[in-house]
Amino acid sequence: METKTTTWKVDPTHSEILFKVKHLVISTVTGSFKKFEGKIETNSREEFDGAEVTFHLDTNTVDTNMKDRDTHLKSQEFFHSEKFPKLSFSGKMKKESGDKYKLAGTMTIKDTKKEVEFVAEYGGTAVDGYSQTKAGFEITGAINRKEFGLTWDMVTETGSIVVSNQVKLQLNIQLVKS
């Protein structure tokens, strides 16, 4: 019997992509990306184990609530958004236990590809007021920015690191079944 593929698309109006990075090792700066798209393809209507995931975000839409910092993040010292406007991910979901999944795959930032793993917590499925079937996930993890060529560094006069190498990621994703 042939298995039917179901496609779930990211609903950008009900989703957010956040990152957190330590600044001066004493506080955390939070940022987001405003434009992104993605989809999950499953082999059953509402089971996400083994699902194929593809995701892209526009690095030109980075937002940390500080224009000068955002401009710096788009520069060659970080994302080099003019040359590399997209950050992408491609991978698979694997059910671990209960509502927990492992999301593993390849992340590409600039021209660097690395294998990464995240935790995806399934929030459930519901039908909205427009008869659309929706599913929700909270995805968390961390990457080392330097492994992706985001190598800008600075040390203060007292020896404090300005920007941590570890970047925590939090994606709150709502999907719409196509």
Side-chain angles (χ1 to χ4, degrees), residues 4-132:
K4 185 176 192 288
T5 300
T6 301
T7 300
W8 299 76
K9 292 187 178 179
V10 172
D11 177 356
T13 60
H14 295 103
S15 301
E16 62 182 352
I17 311 304
L18 303 172
F19 64 90
K20 295 179 179 292
V21 65
K22 287 286 189 188
H23 183 255
L24 299 174
V25 192
I26 59 168
S27 65
T28 300
V29 171
T30 301
S32 65
F33 292 93
K34 300 300 182 190
K35 286 179 78 177
F36 47 86
E37 61 186 18
K39 68 180 178 179
I40 294 180
E41 292 183 325
T42 63
N43 286 328
S44 68
R45 297 185 63 78
E46 292 177 15
E47 176 57 47
F48 293 94
D49 190 32
E52 300 276 342
V53 177
T54 55
F55 187 83
H56 306 279
L57 64 78
D58 183 345
T59 61
N60 284 296
T61 67
V62 65
D63 182 1
T64 62
N65 287 323
M66 187 179 162
K67 187 177 181 185
D68 289 345
R69 180 172 45 223
D70 296 345
T71 299
H72 189 205
L73 288 171
K74 294 174 198 176
S75 77
Q76 290 181 15
E77 292 181 330
F78 283 99
F79 290 117
H80 196 178
S81 296
E82 186 177 317
K83 185 174 180 181
F84 303 104
K86 298 283 183 216
L87 179 156
S88 62
F89 174 85
S90 177
K92 276 193 169 198
M93 294 182 75
K94 182 178 186 315
K95 189 167 187 150
E96 298 283 287
S97 65
D99 291 336
K100 300 268 195 238
Y101 290 78
K102 177 170 66 173
L103 177 58
T106 304
M107 180 177 278
T108 305
I109 301 176
K110 294 168 73 166
D111 56 356
T112 301
K113 295 176 189 255
K114 299 281 298 176
E115 295 301 309
V116 295
E117 263 185 31
F118 302 106
V119 173
E121 186 173 344
Y122 177 54
T125 303
V127 177
D128 70 7
Y130 301 100
S131 299
Q132 295 179 314

